[in-house]
Structure formats: structure tokens, C-alpha cells
Amino acid sequence: MKTTSICCAGRTIPVYALDALVVGTGCAGYNAADWLYDLGRTDVAIVTEGIKMGTSRNTGSDKQTYYKLSLASDEADSVQEMAQTLFSGGSVNGDTALAEAAGSVRSFMKLVNLGVPFPCSEYGEYVGYKTDHDPRQRATSAGPLTSRFMTEALERSVQKKGIRIFNQMQAVRLLVEDGKVFGLLALDLTRPGADGLTLFACPHIILATGGPAGVYDASVYPCGHVGMTGMALEAGAKLVNLQEWQYGLASIDFRWNVSGTYQQVLPRYISVDADGVEREFLLDYFDTPAQALDAVFLKGYQWPFDVRKVQGSSIIDLIVHHETIDLGRQVYMDFRTDPTGLDFSALSEETFRYLKNSGALMPTPIARLAHMNPDAIELYRAHGIDLTTEPLRVAVCAQHNNGGIAVDLNWQTNIQGLYAAGECAGTFGVYRPGGSALNACQVGSMRAAEHIACTTKPALFAPKQLEEQVERVLTGWLADALESLNHCDVHSTSYTMRREMQKRMSAQAAHIRQPEALQALCDALDAQLQHFFREYRLVSPGGFAQMLRTRDVLLTQRAVVSSMTLCAQQWGSRGSGLVLDSAGVACEGLRDYRYRPPQEVGMDQQVVTEWNSDGISSSFAPVRPIPVRDSWFENVWREYRTRTAGLQ
């Protein structure tokens, strides 16, 4: 790594020149840096806004899943079958599905060897269980904190290698010229305002910045995690399938998914209005208590909202949305008292059998939860919430984006030298097996590192060339951004601007969508972005970093709404997006909710979003099929020697 400085927009900016840079310290980021080093590209560093931040380290569920190829002796499976499962989710590219399947065992066993406590039998078999959208039993888990264990294990490996981590360094701008990335502008958060501007000169950058976490108000993403999808969009990277999300019930005082056992113990659902009046509301929407409780039970393992289940378990999400958004009430899950009308003998056979086989036919949800999953209680207690004495505030929240930055089979974007791995990479579509995101982040970051190591040479730093490139591509944007420092005001627009749009997104552009409302959101976001730097008001120069975060969130929201609008208009309801239509089908129990019935349309296409001279727009593109391979060993061996020549 070399150091120097340049002058840009009247400021002297320190420069770090290196071969490869990783942005992010989650599972994907650490894994990318770790692989680069092992593959001989040791001039590598990591940039992160906060080592302890991010989704990998700070989220989970009652049993967080890792999806892999079956490894137990009685489970027949193959790379082709797993690739087909991923591909059949709809709007998925076949080459990335095949790569994720083929790299599954290698990536999983690396985590095992690094000490992640995935359970195995006494004979060393990594047995699995069936997860959602899983035709086999490919799922495994190290418990509620699986992704945290993964992150910590990979972090230890990176630290042992002495890979440098630039902590409290916020990425703000990618530097791209002639379709190639050559650097990253960041902001050192330990220095005030724009004084922290720092440039990383680098021809190979792997983005592992996580999903677009700042888009919604109702969100299970960790507080402080924003994501930097807008930065990639502004640099010219294409985005894909941004309309495809996972939404589900989650607690919001401590952000955590309330799937699995939290629902299957049959908690009491209550809402509280502005006057403090409490009511148990599910009975208002169902004919009998048993119908309501069976829907709650199914919500446990049918946790993500799905338009195909709006007359089944997903009606719970719609009802909670109606209570919180339309009626303005607070909704709670109460584990202290049985729901009104609970009669085990009146429940469906599936619900009754599960509770009976679990030995959980006992009074009160908290007793059932303590019997079946005591760690679920301790998790909340560790975060200041005692489920034995208080209800749990919940909402329908954004949990994961199945889209992201478009990548090829090596996780390289349409910009040469720029890669994306983890949730910021758009390798999934309408549906995906539970836990496949963790596999994708490991395989994608590995393949990006391998592609850099196998196909490129370490960079030779040319200071004069860098200064000329920076002058051409950065000076104008930076001058505009710095102009905002002349508009400090005691009344900052940052918090109100971002929060207002986050609330509108949760109300109108989440799992409930209406084309006219989406178009109105597009117009509102365009207006805010048009003169952003001139109209934004900072409280002080120290708000410079927050301003750039807010702008990135607005750019990402605009891209998300663009893709949603096209999908809603052309395809209607599908996946996680229920499109309202006054002439549509009435929802049982919520007859004011009329919607276009779900259709399996567009499954062989993707929605591509990009920023050009006309602004942000979306269009359709066909998916890439699963490749037909030559599996003759001698041919594969010969091709392998050619492809990996850069490693010799």
C-alpha cells in the first residue's frame, strides 16, 4: 500500500493506493478479503463504517438458517438439483445459481474449519432440515446467531493475516472512467465534516455493503445500517430485481424476526390506539378463534409475506399492516396470556399435532415458548425486553432484498473491476430457499476474489494518471457536495427528509403496492434529488456524512420504486408485492383490500434499473439460463489449467 495526496475541489485529500479494496465487514466482506489474501493478493484492505455494525453481525431469527448442498449419507442431491432449486425461484440467472450450488460445499466447509459450530452427527455428517422453498433437507443452523458466528470466525482469520481494516470510514463515491473502476472516495468519520475526505486508488473493489437497509421505516435491519446501493447506481452499475423483497413480522423496539416458535406457541395479538385503549383484534377478522390461531401457527414457518397466501397465513401480515398503517395503532404480541377462545381440540390437525408432539399443550404462550425454545426468551431479555412481564411491539418489516447490483457468474458488475457480494448483489428473484442468502454471500465473495486473482495482475500505481482521472470524474460532484457546507442552519433537513420518505415507503411501497401511489413516490423523490445539495440544510459541518447517507437512501428509494412501478403495472401481484386494484379480488376478512390475483408471470425475466441521462428508469431483460456444461474430465482439467494460470 502506497500513500500520497491530491488536490480536488480546493481540498487536499490523502490517498491510499493499493491492489484490491473490500467495502464492508460482514460475512461477505471478511470472506472476500480473506480469500484475496490466501490467493496471493496481499495488497488488500477493508473499509468499513463500523466493524461492529451491519446485518451479518446483528440479526438473526429463532433458528437462523444456512442453505447448502445435502451432505448427509441418506440425502441424494447434486449441484444440478440445487442450482435448479435456486433458478426455479423465478427471475434468477442460471449461471449464478449454478455457481452458488457448486461453491456451496467448499464455502460451508471453510466456515466449519474456521470454527463455526454447525452441528454434525457423531460420524461427521452435517445433517439438514427442510426450510421454505426447499425440496430437500439442505438447511442447517448454528442457532439464532448463525451469521454472527460466521462473521466473527472470518474476522479472526482476517486479523491473523494482518489485513488492514480502515474503521469508521464511510464510502461515499465510486470513481469510474471508461467503464472501469479506479478508486473510492470515503469519509473518515473520526475527522470533522469534509475534513475526513479520503481517496483509495484501486482498480479492484468488492462491495459488501449489505442490502438497501435505509429504504424503509418499518425495518428489521440493524439501526445505523443504511447500505450504499445508491452509490453503485450513481457510478453506472446496473441494478436488478429491486422490487423483490422479503417482508415479515418483526419486533421493532429491538429489531428481530418473530418467525418460527414465536408464532407457533400461539401468542395473543393486541393493538393499542392513541387513547391507550387495548383490544385483541384478530377475532375481528376471522369467523372463529380456531381459524385465527391456525393462521398464526402457519405464520411460524410461512413467515415471509407471500401474495399466494393472502387468504392463508399471510392474512396476518395484512391485518397487522391495516392496524398499524391504516388505523394508526400500535400492535403487540402478548405471550403472558392465552388468546381468547383457545381450545386445542378445535385447532387444525397440523397445529394440534405439532404442539402435542412438542409436549406443549400447556396454558400460556410463554410457558409453551419456555418449553420449546427457551433461548428465544433469553434473547429478548438480553436486550431489555422481558416477555414474561410485557408484550412485544411488532410490525410488518422489510427483512431482506432479493435484488441488488447486477453481477455476472464471477460477481463482477457491468463496471470492470467492480464486484458486489452478499445482499448488495442481486442474485435472487421472486422466491429463494431460506438461508440461501448466507450461502450466496460466501460463494459470491469467494468467486469475486478468485476472478481478481486469476485474471488480473497486481496494480502499478501511477500518481499523475490518478490526478488527471480524479480531475475529470470527481471534481464537479465534490464541488457540488461541498457547496452544502455553505448552507448550515439550526433546522437540519436530514432527519425529517429521510424519515418522511421511509414512512411513505413502508406505507405505499412495501408489501402493499398501488401503481398510482408508486408513481407519486417517484415524482416526490425526483423533486428531492433534483437540487439536493443546494436545498439540503446541515446543522453544522459535522452533518456532512449524514447528508451523504440521506442522499444515498433517496437514490436507492427512487430505484426501488422505479422497479416496483414497472412490475406492478405489467405483472401485477407476485412474490412479496400485493398490487391493489379496486376492481380486483376482495381479501377475506379485509374486504376493503381488493387486489390483482397473483400470477406466475415474468419468471423468465428480470427488472433492470439504471441511471442515465434521462434519470432512473427500469426495463425488462431475459434471465440467463443454467449453462450446459462439458463434464468430460480431461476437457475440464485443460480449461481449469488455462483459467487459473494467474495463480501459478
Side-chain angles (χ1 to χ4, degrees):
M1 185 184 301
K2 297 179 175 63
T3 60
T4 184
S5 63
I6 61 169
C7 184
C8 184
R11 285 182 174 264
T12 300
I13 300 175
V15 176
Y16 294 93
L18 68 163
D19 177 35
L21 185 70
V22 177
V23 186
T25 47
C27 296
Y30 278 131
N31 194 51
D34 196 59
W35 272 110
L36 280 166
Y37 193 97
D38 285 348
L39 293 168
R41 303 302 277 265
T42 57
D43 187 17
V44 59
I46 302 175
V47 165
T48 180
E49 199 168 327
I51 287 177
K52 300 299 182 182
M53 297 169 61
T55 299
S56 296
R57 195 185 294 268
N58 295 292
T59 60
S61 60
D62 69 321
K63 185 171 66 175
Q64 193 179 24
T65 299
Y66 189 106
Y67 194 70
K68 56 159 182 55
L69 198 73
S70 297
L71 296 175
S73 59
D74 60 348
E75 277 294 309
D77 203 356
S78 71
V79 168
Q80 177 68 27
E81 285 190 48
M82 183 173 171
Q84 189 61 50
T85 298
L86 297 172
F87 184 70
S88 66
S91 300
V92 176
N93 284 320
D95 51 3
T96 56
L98 180 61
E100 286 175 18
S104 164
V105 173
R106 189 175 171 202
S107 295
F108 175 73
M109 293 312 301
K110 174 181 177 176
L111 294 170
V112 171
N113 292 337
L114 287 176
V116 178
F118 289 111
C120 65
S121 73
E122 60 182 311
Y123 305 103
E125 296 175 296
Y126 287 90
V127 298
Y129 58 89
K130 182 175 286 192
T131 184
D132 48 308
H133 308 302
D134 175 19
R136 299 212 171 262
Q137 297 185 75
R138 297 187 178 117
T140 186
S141 176
L145 304 177
T146 299
S147 62
R148 176 182 294 183
F149 295 154
M150 291 166 56
T151 304
E152 291 171 344
L154 290 161
E155 180 182 21
R156 289 191 295 270
S157 184
V158 163
Q159 289 174 337
K160 287 178 183 177
K161 294 177 171 73
I163 296 171
R164 183 165 181 181
I165 300 175
F166 290 86
N167 194 20
Q168 297 188 60
M169 191 75 75
Q170 177 185 334
V172 297
R173 179 82 175 181
L174 289 162
L175 306 185
V176 176
E177 188 173 46
D178 298 330
K180 301 177 183 178
V181 70
F182 69 90
L184 173 80
L185 184 68
L187 200 58
D188 185 345
L189 301 177
T190 66
R191 301 169 64 192
D195 291 344
L197 287 167
T198 305
L199 183 64
F200 293 88
C202 180
H204 311 116
I205 297 177
I206 301 177
L207 297 179
T209 52
V215 165
Y216 291 107
D217 178 58
S219 170
V220 78
Y221 288 97
C223 294
H225 181 189
V226 173
M228 292 300 293
T229 304
M231 178 179 70
L233 173 70
E234 193 170 22
K238 294 181 179 181
L239 311 180
V240 65
N241 288 343
L242 292 180
Q243 76 283 353
E244 306 298 348
W245 290 75
Q246 281 188 188
Y247 307 97
L249 290 167
S251 57
I252 51 181
D253 294 318
F254 164 58
R255 296 184 172 191
W256 201 259
N257 297 327
V258 286
S259 55
T261 325
Y262 290 111
Q263 304 296 333
Q264 289 163 332
V265 299
L266 306 180
R268 191 170 71 109
Y269 275 78
I270 58 176
S271 68
V272 180
D273 66 17
D275 297 323
V277 177
E278 175 186 310
R279 62 187 249 279
E280 189 175 352
F281 61 86
L282 285 185
L283 296 181
D284 296 346
Y285 303 93
F286 291 90
D287 293 335
T288 67
Q291 289 178 347
L293 294 172
D294 286 332
V296 170
F297 174 82
L298 289 174
K299 184 83 277 186
Y301 58 83
Q302 296 176 358
W303 174 78
F305 178 79
D306 186 344
V307 298
R308 300 172 303 180
K309 300 182 178 72
V310 293
Q311 308 288 13
S313 62
S314 288
I315 189 65
I316 301 295
D317 304 275
L318 293 184
I319 293 169
V320 171
H321 177 90
H322 178 63
E323 290 281 328
T324 54
I325 300 299
D326 300 334
L327 303 181
R329 295 167 173 159
Q330 301 287 339
V331 169
Y332 298 84
M333 289 166 56
D334 185 1
F335 294 87
R336 301 167 298 176
T337 307
D338 273 333
T340 298
L342 173 60
D343 177 356
F344 291 123
S345 65
L347 297 173
S348 70
E349 181 183 353
E350 181 180 10
T351 306
F352 177 76
R353 185 175 64 251
Y354 180 91
L355 292 172
K356 181 181 179 181
N357 290 346
S358 301
L361 296 176
M362 54 188 66
T364 77
I366 194 66
R368 295 189 284 273
L369 189 60
H371 175 73
M372 290 198 291
N373 192 354
D375 289 345
I377 300 171
E378 294 306 315
L379 173 73
Y380 277 102
R381 184 175 284 127
H383 290 86
I385 299 173
D386 187 350
L387 299 183
T388 67
T389 62
E390 60 186 306
L392 183 68
R393 190 159 68 107
V394 299
V396 183
C397 295
Q399 183 253 357
H400 187 276
N401 184 228
N402 282 355
I405 304 168
V407 296
D408 64 13
L409 78 164
N410 296 302
W411 272 249
Q412 186 170 211
T413 71
N414 58 295
I415 298 171
Q416 184 177 330
L418 180 67
Y419 300 77
E423 192 183 340
C424 72
T427 61
F428 294 113
V430 187
Y431 301 107
R432 65 177 181 85
S436 55
L438 292 182
N439 177 65
C441 82
Q442 296 303 283
V443 175
S445 51
M446 175 186 71
R447 288 188 65 88
E450 284 185 322
H451 191 252
I452 291 170
C454 291
T455 65
T456 70
K457 298 294 184 183
L460 296 175
F461 179 49
K464 176 145 182 71
Q465 179 183 343
L466 175 67
E467 287 201 34
E468 293 171 351
Q469 286 182 303
V470 168
E471 176 68 27
R472 288 192 295 267
V473 307
L474 182 60
T475 302
W477 179 89
L478 184 57
D480 288 343
L482 293 173
E483 174 66 20
S484 63
L485 295 172
N486 299 325
H487 303 146
C488 292
D489 194 312
V490 293
H491 302 293
S492 169
T493 57
S494 173
Y495 179 79
T496 54
M497 178 188 295
R498 190 197 302 184
R499 190 73 191 281
E500 173 192 331
M501 293 311 300
Q502 287 172 328
K503 285 182 174 292
R504 286 189 66 176
M505 290 288 293
S506 288
Q508 301 173 8
H511 58 299
I512 307 294
R513 303 169 189 175
Q514 203 271 340
E516 289 76 15
L518 292 174
Q519 187 57 58
L521 271 173
C522 283
D523 296 340
L525 287 161
D526 282 337
Q528 288 181 319
L529 288 166
Q530 187 174 11
H531 305 294
F532 181 85
F533 289 129
R534 284 210 310 262
E535 297 177 355
Y536 190 96
R537 294 293 179 267
L538 286 75
V539 171
S540 68
F544 190 71
Q546 185 72 354
M547 176 195 70
L548 295 176
R549 287 192 200 100
T550 295
R551 184 171 180 271
D552 194 271
V553 169
L554 295 177
L555 283 169
T556 306
Q557 288 174 328
R558 179 62 179 84
V560 169
V561 176
S562 172
S563 62
M564 281 185 178
T565 303
L566 179 63
C567 188
Q569 291 171 343
Q570 299 295 320
W571 291 340
S573 300
R574 74 169 203 164
S576 60
L578 189 73
V579 177
L580 300 184
D581 187 335
S582 59
V585 178
C587 184
E588 197 69 35
L590 276 168
R591 297 204 169 270
D592 289 339
Y593 277 57
R594 291 187 169 272
Y595 62 94
R596 298 185 196 174
Q599 303 179 70
E600 296 291 315
V601 294
M603 303 301 247
D604 59 350
Q605 296 181 74
Q606 296 183 322
V607 177
V608 178
T609 302
E610 53 191 319
W611 192 1
N612 52 40
S613 58
D614 297 326
I616 298 172
S617 61
S618 297
S619 59
F620 296 121
V623 300
R624 304 188 296 267
I626 295 177
V628 177
R629 289 93 67 201
D630 180 356
S631 59
W632 187 258
F633 180 80
E634 301 298 338
N635 294 338
V636 173
W637 192 7
R638 183 174 59 254
E639 186 275 333
Y640 171 79
R641 289 196 299 266
T642 301
R643 176 166 42 84
T644 59
L647 291 175
Q648 308 306 317

mmCIF file with all atom_site columns, all heavy atoms in Angstrom, residues 463-475:
data_model
loop_
_atom_site.group_PDB
_atom_site.id
_atom_site.type_symbol
_atom_site.label_atom_id
_atom_site.label_alt_id
_atom_site.label_comp_id
_atom_site.label_asym_id
_atom_site.label_entity_id
_atom_site.label_seq_id
_atom_site.pdbx_PDB_ins_code
_atom_site.Cartn_x
_atom_site.Cartn_y
_atom_site.Cartn_z
_atom_site.occupancy
_atom_site.B_iso_or_equiv
_atom_site.pdbx_formal_charge
_atom_site.auth_seq_id
_atom_site.auth_comp_id
_atom_site.auth_asym_id
_atom_site.auth_atom_id
_atom_site.pdbx_PDB_model_num
ATOM 1   N N   . PRO A 1 463 ? 0.729   7.975  -10.010 1.00 0.00 ? 463 PRO A N   1
ATOM 2   C CA  . PRO A 1 463 ? 0.161   9.170  -9.356  1.00 0.00 ? 463 PRO A CA  1
ATOM 3   C C   . PRO A 1 463 ? -0.365  10.215 -10.334 1.00 0.00 ? 463 PRO A C   1
ATOM 4   O O   . PRO A 1 463 ? -1.447  10.758 -10.132 1.00 0.00 ? 463 PRO A O   1
ATOM 5   C CB  . PRO A 1 463 ? 1.333   9.701  -8.533  1.00 0.00 ? 463 PRO A CB  1
ATOM 6   C CG  . PRO A 1 463 ? 2.219   8.520  -8.317  1.00 0.00 ? 463 PRO A CG  1
ATOM 7   C CD  . PRO A 1 463 ? 2.087   7.695  -9.550  1.00 0.00 ? 463 PRO A CD  1
ATOM 8   N N   . LYS A 1 464 ? 0.385   10.504 -11.402 1.00 0.00 ? 464 LYS A N   1
ATOM 9   C CA  . LYS A 1 464 ? -0.061  11.547 -12.323 1.00 0.00 ? 464 LYS A CA  1
ATOM 10  C C   . LYS A 1 464 ? -1.333  11.140 -13.038 1.00 0.00 ? 464 LYS A C   1
ATOM 11  O O   . LYS A 1 464 ? -2.257  11.935 -13.213 1.00 0.00 ? 464 LYS A O   1
ATOM 12  C CB  . LYS A 1 464 ? 1.043   11.866 -13.330 1.00 0.00 ? 464 LYS A CB  1
ATOM 13  C CG  . LYS A 1 464 ? 0.637   12.877 -14.391 1.00 0.00 ? 464 LYS A CG  1
ATOM 14  C CD  . LYS A 1 464 ? 1.768   13.771 -14.774 1.00 0.00 ? 464 LYS A CD  1
ATOM 15  C CE  . LYS A 1 464 ? 1.371   14.823 -15.805 1.00 0.00 ? 464 LYS A CE  1
ATOM 16  N NZ  . LYS A 1 464 ? 0.504   15.851 -15.229 1.00 0.00 ? 464 LYS A NZ  1
ATOM 17  N N   . GLN A 1 465 ? -1.404  9.884  -13.449 1.00 0.00 ? 465 GLN A N   1
ATOM 18  C CA  . GLN A 1 465 ? -2.630  9.393  -14.104 1.00 0.00 ? 465 GLN A CA  1
ATOM 19  C C   . GLN A 1 465 ? -3.822  9.498  -13.163 1.00 0.00 ? 465 GLN A C   1
ATOM 20  O O   . GLN A 1 465 ? -4.921  9.877  -13.579 1.00 0.00 ? 465 GLN A O   1
ATOM 21  C CB  . GLN A 1 465 ? -2.436  7.948  -14.546 1.00 0.00 ? 465 GLN A CB  1
ATOM 22  C CG  . GLN A 1 465 ? -3.673  7.335  -15.211 1.00 0.00 ? 465 GLN A CG  1
ATOM 23  C CD  . GLN A 1 465 ? -3.461  5.878  -15.571 1.00 0.00 ? 465 GLN A CD  1
ATOM 24  O OE1 . GLN A 1 465 ? -2.338  5.389  -15.627 1.00 0.00 ? 465 GLN A OE1 1
ATOM 25  N NE2 . GLN A 1 465 ? -4.554  5.174  -15.799 1.00 0.00 ? 465 GLN A NE2 1
ATOM 26  N N   . LEU A 1 466 ? -3.601  9.198  -11.884 1.00 0.00 ? 466 LEU A N   1
ATOM 27  C CA  . LEU A 1 466 ? -4.683  9.288  -10.910 1.00 0.00 ? 466 LEU A CA  1
ATOM 28  C C   . LEU A 1 466 ? -5.185  10.720 -10.796 1.00 0.00 ? 466 LEU A C   1
ATOM 29  O O   . LEU A 1 466 ? -6.398  10.966 -10.801 1.00 0.00 ? 466 LEU A O   1
ATOM 30  C CB  . LEU A 1 466 ? -4.206  8.788  -9.546  1.00 0.00 ? 466 LEU A CB  1
ATOM 31  C CG  . LEU A 1 466 ? -5.221  8.948  -8.411  1.00 0.00 ? 466 LEU A CG  1
ATOM 32  C CD1 . LEU A 1 466 ? -6.423  8.039  -8.633  1.00 0.00 ? 466 LEU A CD1 1
ATOM 33  C CD2 . LEU A 1 466 ? -4.570  8.662  -7.059  1.00 0.00 ? 466 LEU A CD2 1
ATOM 34  N N   . GLU A 1 467 ? -4.276  11.693 -10.695 1.00 0.00 ? 467 GLU A N   1
ATOM 35  C CA  . GLU A 1 467 ? -4.691  13.091 -10.558 1.00 0.00 ? 467 GLU A CA  1
ATOM 36  C C   . GLU A 1 467 ? -5.523  13.534 -11.746 1.00 0.00 ? 467 GLU A C   1
ATOM 37  O O   . GLU A 1 467 ? -6.527  14.238 -11.598 1.00 0.00 ? 467 GLU A O   1
ATOM 38  C CB  . GLU A 1 467 ? -3.465  13.985 -10.394 1.00 0.00 ? 467 GLU A CB  1
ATOM 39  C CG  . GLU A 1 467 ? -2.799  13.860 -9.037  1.00 0.00 ? 467 GLU A CG  1
ATOM 40  C CD  . GLU A 1 467 ? -1.931  15.067 -8.708  1.00 0.00 ? 467 GLU A CD  1
ATOM 41  O OE1 . GLU A 1 467 ? -2.297  16.189 -9.121  1.00 0.00 ? 467 GLU A OE1 1
ATOM 42  O OE2 . GLU A 1 467 ? -0.913  14.884 -8.047  1.00 0.00 ? 467 GLU A OE2 1
ATOM 43  N N   . GLU A 1 468 ? -5.118  13.124 -12.942 1.00 0.00 ? 468 GLU A N   1
ATOM 44  C CA  . GLU A 1 468 ? -5.868  13.503 -14.141 1.00 0.00 ? 468 GLU A CA  1
ATOM 45  C C   . GLU A 1 468 ? -7.256  12.872 -14.143 1.00 0.00 ? 468 GLU A C   1
ATOM 46  O O   . GLU A 1 468 ? -8.247  13.516 -14.505 1.00 0.00 ? 468 GLU A O   1
ATOM 47  C CB  . GLU A 1 468 ? -5.085  13.079 -15.383 1.00 0.00 ? 468 GLU A CB  1
ATOM 48  C CG  . GLU A 1 468 ? -3.778  13.851 -15.571 1.00 0.00 ? 468 GLU A CG  1
ATOM 49  C CD  . GLU A 1 468 ? -2.916  13.275 -16.681 1.00 0.00 ? 468 GLU A CD  1
ATOM 50  O OE1 . GLU A 1 468 ? -3.267  12.175 -17.183 1.00 0.00 ? 468 GLU A OE1 1
ATOM 51  O OE2 . GLU A 1 468 ? -1.908  13.913 -17.043 1.00 0.00 ? 468 GLU A OE2 1
ATOM 52  N N   . GLN A 1 469 ? -7.344  11.599 -13.743 1.00 0.00 ? 469 GLN A N   1
ATOM 53  C CA  . GLN A 1 469 ? -8.646  10.927 -13.700 1.00 0.00 ? 469 GLN A CA  1
ATOM 54  C C   . GLN A 1 469 ? -9.558  11.564 -12.656 1.00 0.00 ? 469 GLN A C   1
ATOM 55  O O   . GLN A 1 469 ? -10.752 11.785 -12.913 1.00 0.00 ? 469 GLN A O   1
ATOM 56  C CB  . GLN A 1 469 ? -8.456  9.435  -13.390 1.00 0.00 ? 469 GLN A CB  1
ATOM 57  C CG  . GLN A 1 469 ? -7.905  8.621  -14.537 1.00 0.00 ? 469 GLN A CG  1
ATOM 58  C CD  . GLN A 1 469 ? -7.790  7.159  -14.177 1.00 0.00 ? 469 GLN A CD  1
ATOM 59  O OE1 . GLN A 1 469 ? -7.128  6.788  -13.199 1.00 0.00 ? 469 GLN A OE1 1
ATOM 60  N NE2 . GLN A 1 469 ? -8.436  6.303  -14.957 1.00 0.00 ? 469 GLN A NE2 1
ATOM 61  N N   . VAL A 1 470 ? -9.014  11.843 -11.490 1.00 0.00 ? 470 VAL A N   1
ATOM 62  C CA  . VAL A 1 470 ? -9.813  12.465 -10.426 1.00 0.00 ? 470 VAL A CA  1
ATOM 63  C C   . VAL A 1 470 ? -10.344 13.810 -10.878 1.00 0.00 ? 470 VAL A C   1
ATOM 64  O O   . VAL A 1 470 ? -11.506 14.157 -10.636 1.00 0.00 ? 470 VAL A O   1
ATOM 65  C CB  . VAL A 1 470 ? -8.978  12.596 -9.141  1.00 0.00 ? 470 VAL A CB  1
ATOM 66  C CG1 . VAL A 1 470 ? -9.693  13.490 -8.134  1.00 0.00 ? 470 VAL A CG1 1
ATOM 67  C CG2 . VAL A 1 470 ? -8.721  11.223 -8.534  1.00 0.00 ? 470 VAL A CG2 1
ATOM 68  N N   . GLU A 1 471 ? -9.509  14.584 -11.550 1.00 0.00 ? 471 GLU A N   1
ATOM 69  C CA  . GLU A 1 471 ? -9.933  15.892 -12.042 1.00 0.00 ? 471 GLU A CA  1
ATOM 70  C C   . GLU A 1 471 ? -11.126 15.754 -12.981 1.00 0.00 ? 471 GLU A C   1
ATOM 71  O O   . GLU A 1 471 ? -12.077 16.531 -12.935 1.00 0.00 ? 471 GLU A O   1
ATOM 72  C CB  . GLU A 1 471 ? -8.766  16.571 -12.764 1.00 0.00 ? 471 GLU A CB  1
ATOM 73  C CG  . GLU A 1 471 ? -9.105  17.914 -13.400 1.00 0.00 ? 471 GLU A CG  1
ATOM 74  C CD  . GLU A 1 471 ? -9.411  18.996 -12.387 1.00 0.00 ? 471 GLU A CD  1
ATOM 75  O OE1 . GLU A 1 471 ? -8.902  18.908 -11.249 1.00 0.00 ? 471 GLU A OE1 1
ATOM 76  O OE2 . GLU A 1 471 ? -10.178 19.916 -12.730 1.00 0.00 ? 471 GLU A OE2 1
ATOM 77  N N   . ARG A 1 472 ? -11.115 14.716 -13.819 1.00 0.00 ? 472 ARG A N   1
ATOM 78  C CA  . ARG A 1 472 ? -12.182 14.548 -14.803 1.00 0.00 ? 472 ARG A CA  1
ATOM 79  C C   . ARG A 1 472 ? -13.487 14.049 -14.184 1.00 0.00 ? 472 ARG A C   1
ATOM 80  O O   . ARG A 1 472 ? -14.569 14.490 -14.574 1.00 0.00 ? 472 ARG A O   1
ATOM 81  C CB  . ARG A 1 472 ? -11.729 13.574 -15.901 1.00 0.00 ? 472 ARG A CB  1
ATOM 82  C CG  . ARG A 1 472 ? -10.693 14.133 -16.843 1.00 0.00 ? 472 ARG A CG  1
ATOM 83  C CD  . ARG A 1 472 ? -10.508 13.228 -18.057 1.00 0.00 ? 472 ARG A CD  1
ATOM 84  N NE  . ARG A 1 472 ? -9.960  11.924 -17.712 1.00 0.00 ? 472 ARG A NE  1
ATOM 85  C CZ  . ARG A 1 472 ? -8.671  11.611 -17.716 1.00 0.00 ? 472 ARG A CZ  1
ATOM 86  N NH1 . ARG A 1 472 ? -7.779  12.534 -18.039 1.00 0.00 ? 472 ARG A NH1 1
ATOM 87  N NH2 . ARG A 1 472 ? -8.256  10.394 -17.407 1.00 0.00 ? 472 ARG A NH2 1
ATOM 88  N N   . VAL A 1 473 ? -13.410 13.122 -13.259 1.00 0.00 ? 473 VAL A N   1
ATOM 89  C CA  . VAL A 1 473 ? -14.639 12.441 -12.833 1.00 0.00 ? 473 VAL A CA  1
ATOM 90  C C   . VAL A 1 473 ? -15.145 12.838 -11.448 1.00 0.00 ? 473 VAL A C   1
ATOM 91  O O   . VAL A 1 473 ? -16.296 12.544 -11.118 1.00 0.00 ? 473 VAL A O   1
ATOM 92  C CB  . VAL A 1 473 ? -14.462 10.907 -12.866 1.00 0.00 ? 473 VAL A CB  1
ATOM 93  C CG1 . VAL A 1 473 ? -13.968 10.449 -14.222 1.00 0.00 ? 473 VAL A CG1 1
ATOM 94  C CG2 . VAL A 1 473 ? -13.518 10.432 -11.777 1.00 0.00 ? 473 VAL A CG2 1
ATOM 95  N N   . LEU A 1 474 ? -14.336 13.484 -10.634 1.00 0.00 ? 474 LEU A N   1
ATOM 96  C CA  . LEU A 1 474 ? -14.755 13.737 -9.263  1.00 0.00 ? 474 LEU A CA  1
ATOM 97  C C   . LEU A 1 474 ? -14.954 15.203 -8.927  1.00 0.00 ? 474 LEU A C   1
ATOM 98  O O   . LEU A 1 474 ? -15.810 15.548 -8.115  1.00 0.00 ? 474 LEU A O   1
ATOM 99  C CB  . LEU A 1 474 ? -13.726 13.131 -8.285  1.00 0.00 ? 474 LEU A CB  1
ATOM 100 C CG  . LEU A 1 474 ? -14.045 13.258 -6.795  1.00 0.00 ? 474 LEU A CG  1
ATOM 101 C CD1 . LEU A 1 474 ? -15.365 12.559 -6.455  1.00 0.00 ? 474 LEU A CD1 1
ATOM 102 C CD2 . LEU A 1 474 ? -12.921 12.685 -5.937  1.00 0.00 ? 474 LEU A CD2 1
ATOM 103 N N   . THR A 1 475 ? -14.192 16.094 -9.561  1.00 0.00 ? 475 THR A N   1
ATOM 104 C CA  . THR A 1 475 ? -14.176 17.489 -9.134  1.00 0.00 ? 475 THR A CA  1
ATOM 105 C C   . THR A 1 475 ? -15.563 18.122 -9.127  1.00 0.00 ? 475 THR A C   1
ATOM 106 O O   . THR A 1 475 ? -15.957 18.782 -8.167  1.00 0.00 ? 475 THR A O   1
ATOM 107 C CB  . THR A 1 475 ? -13.228 18.309 -10.027 1.00 0.00 ? 475 THR A CB  1
ATOM 108 O OG1 . THR A 1 475 ? -11.922 17.735 -9.956  1.00 0.00 ? 475 THR A OG1 1
ATOM 109 C CG2 . THR A 1 475 ? -13.171 19.758 -9.564  1.00 0.00 ? 475 THR A CG2 1
#
